C-alpha cells in the first residue's frame, strides 16, 4: 500500500515539473517570418548581416544575450533539404573550433548537433529546413533549443 502512495507522489512530482517547464515558454513573433515558443525571460534583438557577412544570401539573426541564444533565419532557394546538413556541420565547427566531435541526431524534422564536451563556451546547433526556409538556433541548452524549434510556425506571406 505504501508503495502505491510513493509511486503516485513521484508521478505527481514529475508531472508538476513538466508543467512548470512548459509554462516558462511564451509565443514570440520574429518579424513577418515566423513565430515560435521562447523562454519567458528572453529578449531577442534583431541584427541583420552581423555574423556572416560573406554569405551569398541574406540572413536575419536574432540574439538573446540573457539566455545565450542566437537564431539565424534564411529564406533562400540556395538552401535546400539536400544541402542544409553541410551548413549545420560547418556552423557547429565555427562555433566550437576546438571540438573534434559532436553528438549528431535527428528528432522529428529537427537536426541537432551537441558538443560532446559540455561547457558554457560550447554551443549546440539545432536546425530546421522547410520549403527553402532555414532556422538555426545556437545556445547552451540543446533541450530548450529543440523545444523552441519544434514549435515554429512559418508565416504564409513569404
Amino acid at each position: 500500500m505504501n508503495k502505491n502512495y510513493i509511486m503516485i507522489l513521484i508521478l505527481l512530482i514529475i508531472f508538476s515539473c513538466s508543467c512548470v517547464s512548459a509554462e516558462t515558454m511564451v509565443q514570440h513573433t520574429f518579424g513577418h517570418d515566423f513565430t515560435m515558443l521562447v523562454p519567458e525571460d528572453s529578449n531577442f534583438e534583431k541584427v541583420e548581416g552581423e555574423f556572416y557577412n560573406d554569405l551569398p544570401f541574406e540572413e536575419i539573426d536574432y540574439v538573446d544575450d540573457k539566455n545565450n541564444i542566437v537564431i539565424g533565419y534564411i529564406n533562400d532557394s540556395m538552401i535546400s533539404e539536400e544541402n542544409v546538413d553541410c551548413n549545420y556541420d560547418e556552423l557547429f565547427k565555427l562555433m566550437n573550433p576546438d571540438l573534434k566531435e559532436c553528438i549528431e541526431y535527428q528528432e522529428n524534422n529537427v537536426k541537432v548537433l551537441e558538443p560532446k564536451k559540455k561547457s558554457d563556451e560550447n554551443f549546440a546547433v539545432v536546425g530546421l529546413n522547410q520549403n527553402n526556409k532555414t532556422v538555426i538556433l545556437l545556445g547552451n541548452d540543446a533541450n530548450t533549443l529543440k523545444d523552441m524549434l519544434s514549435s515554429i510556425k512559418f508565416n504564409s506571406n513569404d
Side-chain angles (χ1 to χ4, degrees), residues 19-135:
C19 288
V20 169
S21 64
E23 291 176 20
T24 61
M25 302 286 266
V26 295
Q27 192 77 11
H28 186 79
T29 301
F30 292 89
H32 299 290
D33 303 311
F34 60 93
T35 60
M36 81 175 143
L37 294 175
V38 299
E40 186 174 39
D41 62 344
S42 61
N43 182 25
F44 285 95
E45 293 184 27
K46 182 178 180 180
V47 289
E48 292 191 46
E50 186 171 309
F51 293 107
Y52 307 106
N53 291 332
D54 57 344
L55 293 176
F57 42 78
E58 181 183 355
E59 176 182 359
I60 301 171
D61 295 301
Y62 299 91
V63 178
D64 174 20
D65 289 327
K66 181 176 183 182
N67 294 299
N68 293 325
I69 298 172
V70 176
I71 300 171
Y73 172 70
I74 303 164
N75 184 0
D76 195 297
S77 60
M78 288 179 61
I79 306 294
S80 67
E81 302 277 342
E82 292 79 34
N83 66 14
V84 74
D85 285 348
C86 178
N87 293 323
Y88 297 149
D89 293 338
E90 290 303 313
L91 188 55
F92 182 84
K93 290 175 191 171
L94 279 172
M95 297 306 297
N96 302 289
D98 297 333
L99 298 177
K100 304 272 187 263
E101 299 178 345
C102 67
I103 302 165
E104 185 174 336
Y105 57 96
Q106 185 97 13
E107 278 190 18
N108 299 318
N109 58 348
V110 175
K111 174 83 171 207
V112 182
L113 288 87
E114 288 187 70
K116 284 189 175 180
K117 181 182 174 189
K118 306 283 185 191
S119 77
D120 286 342
E121 291 85 34
N122 297 334
F123 291 98
V125 175
V126 178
L128 169 81
N129 180 277
Q130 185 177 347
N131 300 325
N132 297 326
K133 297 173 187 174
T134 303
V135 177

Side-chain angles (χ1 to χ4, degrees), residues 7-21:
M7 281 301 282
I8 290 172
L9 181 61
I10 290 172
L11 289 172
L12 286 173
I13 291 171
I14 291 171
F15 179 72
S16 66
C17 288
S18 65
C19 288
V20 169
S21 64

